[in-house]
Amino acid sequence: LQGIFVLGLPYALLHSGYSGLFLLILAAALCCYTGKILIACLYEENEDGQPVRVRDTYEDIANACCKKLSPKLGGTIVNVTQVTELLMTCILYLVVSGNLLSHSFPSVPVAERTWSAVAFVTLLPCVFIRTLKVVSKLSQLCSLVHFMIVLVVMTYCLTQIQQWSWAKFRLSIEFEDFLVSVGVIIFSYTSQIFLPTLEGNMRNPGEFRCMLSWTHSLACVLKTTFALTAFLTWGEDTKEVITDNLPSFLQTLVNLCLLTKALLSYPLPFFAATEIVFVCISRGNHSNYRPPLFALGVRGSFLLLTLLMAMFIPHFALLMGLTGSVTGAAMTFLLPSLFHLKLQWNKLSCLEKCTDISVFILGSLCSLAGIVCSIKGLLGAFG
């Protein structure tokens, strides 16, 4: 919930004005809601009316919804969507790492692609990660680094408080710029792809809904405070990545912190993607047994694939936007609301049904708008 997307939120406020502040709150509420209903789809009531976990993954939920059409159709679609999004996320971290190293050491005559390869070497130990517990330790370190970055940016902004002015906020906005802001804000909250695994590994799954409410509330407060503070400091000069606005003596420090954060962020989507692949390959076999060499081969192949795509895909940012508009909106809004309606229609109140339908429509509009903008950008980039 506190990923690299956070650094683009001040730029999103530049293009969305006062509506951006409302969107930061609305996106947190919607993503928290869809996370809860997604987990609710994992459960069914037993004869005593007690909820029992009868499904384990996003794939299981999809298969339960599509079993009349085809027993495996829904799971196949979800798995392809999940792996695509996770793969693109891993590639993004490698691209970002190469870019940050290039900017941190401008005097070294090395191309960004080569720097990405250097970052890739530090990620080789990922092939030995076998449990979510290891990933959680790395994610905890990632969070600490993130708060260091936010602290540096906000401390500098507070030293410039005499320059703040609410007049910097826009009242009128350009529609296409607004759509870009919507995408940045919404996708900075997405975590649904990890939630079934996370809830299944919790020591006390009964606390999941409370945990989700607290984390999204705190994320909303932190994001809003950070974005507002940074935007009030730089106004119309706010850049796409807010750390680019910092004076040179702070930029190198923050860039190295961002590099550390990107490398520590990589293991989570990497682990999630390889687990999905393992489940698909070993279906019908004992899920707890994996030949060591086979497991290393799968993880190594996945790791190498992300490096090759990071080095050779042109216009990656635009392709990432297109992929995110399709897979991100689907996994965050469309599928959770659709599955919830399908599996628990008879148990839902009229208000809950209307809420799910509204979320589905909103997700469809966001996805369509993002696809149009991304394709338009790709056409422009290719001339």
Side-chain angles (χ1 to χ4, degrees), residues 18-308:
Y18 286 100
S19 60
L21 296 176
F22 172 73
L23 282 172
L24 282 166
I25 300 170
L26 179 63
L30 289 177
C31 290
C32 181
Y33 174 76
T34 56
K36 290 178 179 179
I37 64 175
L38 178 66
I39 297 304
C41 293
L42 297 172
Y43 290 82
E44 296 287 351
E45 291 184 356
N46 60 15
E47 296 177 354
D48 300 324
Q50 298 296 319
V52 178
R53 202 177 203 260
V54 297
R55 305 176 187 99
D56 293 319
T57 63
Y58 216 138
E59 178 189 6
D60 293 338
I61 298 172
N63 284 331
C65 290
C66 300
K67 62 183 178 182
K68 291 184 179 180
L69 293 174
S70 173
K72 302 297 181 182
L73 175 62
T76 300
I77 294 173
V78 164
N79 280 338
V80 171
T81 304
Q82 285 188 106
V83 172
T84 300
E85 182 172 352
L86 291 166
L87 179 68
M88 296 299 280
T89 302
C90 290
I91 297 167
L92 177 63
Y93 287 135
L94 276 175
V95 172
V96 167
S97 298
N99 181 270
L100 290 170
L101 281 169
S102 176
H103 284 82
S104 298
F105 305 102
S107 59
V108 180
V110 174
E112 281 191 21
R113 291 180 178 181
T114 306
W115 281 122
S116 293
V118 172
F120 168 79
V121 173
T122 67
L123 295 170
L124 289 176
C126 287
V127 299
F128 301 106
I129 295 176
R130 296 188 295 175
T131 66
L132 194 63
K133 186 174 289 187
V134 176
V135 177
S136 71
K137 301 292 185 184
L138 296 173
S139 294
Q140 188 176 34
L141 290 173
C142 178
S143 297
L144 291 174
V145 174
H146 175 84
F147 284 115
M148 285 178 58
I149 297 169
V150 171
L151 182 63
V152 170
V153 175
M154 291 195 65
T155 301
Y156 177 80
C157 290
L158 290 173
T159 63
Q160 308 296 313
I161 195 170
Q162 70 276 4
Q163 300 178 12
W164 291 9
S165 172
W166 286 94
K168 296 177 180 179
F169 268 97
R170 291 187 178 189
L171 293 176
S172 60
I173 54 177
E174 295 293 333
F175 184 65
E176 285 194 16
D177 290 340
F178 177 74
L179 289 179
V180 172
S181 300
V182 170
V184 172
I185 290 171
I186 289 177
F187 294 121
S188 72
Y189 284 103
T190 56
S191 61
Q192 279 71 4
I193 201 168
F194 307 110
L195 295 185
T197 302
L198 177 62
E199 194 260 358
N201 282 274
M202 285 181 70
R203 185 173 298 172
N204 185 2
E207 296 179 350
F208 178 83
R209 293 178 65 88
C210 180
M211 178 275 292
L212 210 61
S213 296
W214 273 105
T215 51
H216 279 75
S217 298
L218 289 171
C220 180
V221 171
L222 289 170
K223 289 176 192 291
T224 304
T225 303
F226 177 76
L228 188 59
T229 302
F231 176 73
L232 288 174
T233 301
W234 286 289
E236 294 291 330
D237 296 324
T238 302
K239 297 182 180 178
E240 289 187 40
V241 179
I242 197 61
T243 52
D244 289 341
N245 282 103
L246 292 172
S248 57
F249 70 93
L250 285 177
Q251 272 194 33
T252 301
L253 171 64
V254 173
N255 280 345
L256 291 175
C257 288
L258 281 171
L259 172 65
T260 305
K261 176 177 171 55
L263 295 176
L264 289 172
S265 298
Y266 185 97
L268 179 58
F270 175 82
F271 176 82
T274 53
E275 285 299 298
I276 294 170
V277 172
F278 280 134
V279 170
C280 293
I281 293 175
S282 63
R283 187 171 286 116
N285 300 325
H286 194 281
S287 60
N288 291 326
Y289 175 71
R290 295 171 188 161
L293 290 178
F294 170 75
L296 287 174
V298 171
R299 296 192 190 103
S301 299
F302 190 92
L303 198 66
L304 185 60
L305 179 62
T306 60
L307 173 66
L308 293 175

Side-chain angles (χ1 to χ4, degrees), residues 71 86 331 334 362:
L86 291 166
M331 302 300 291
L334 305 184
L362 179 62

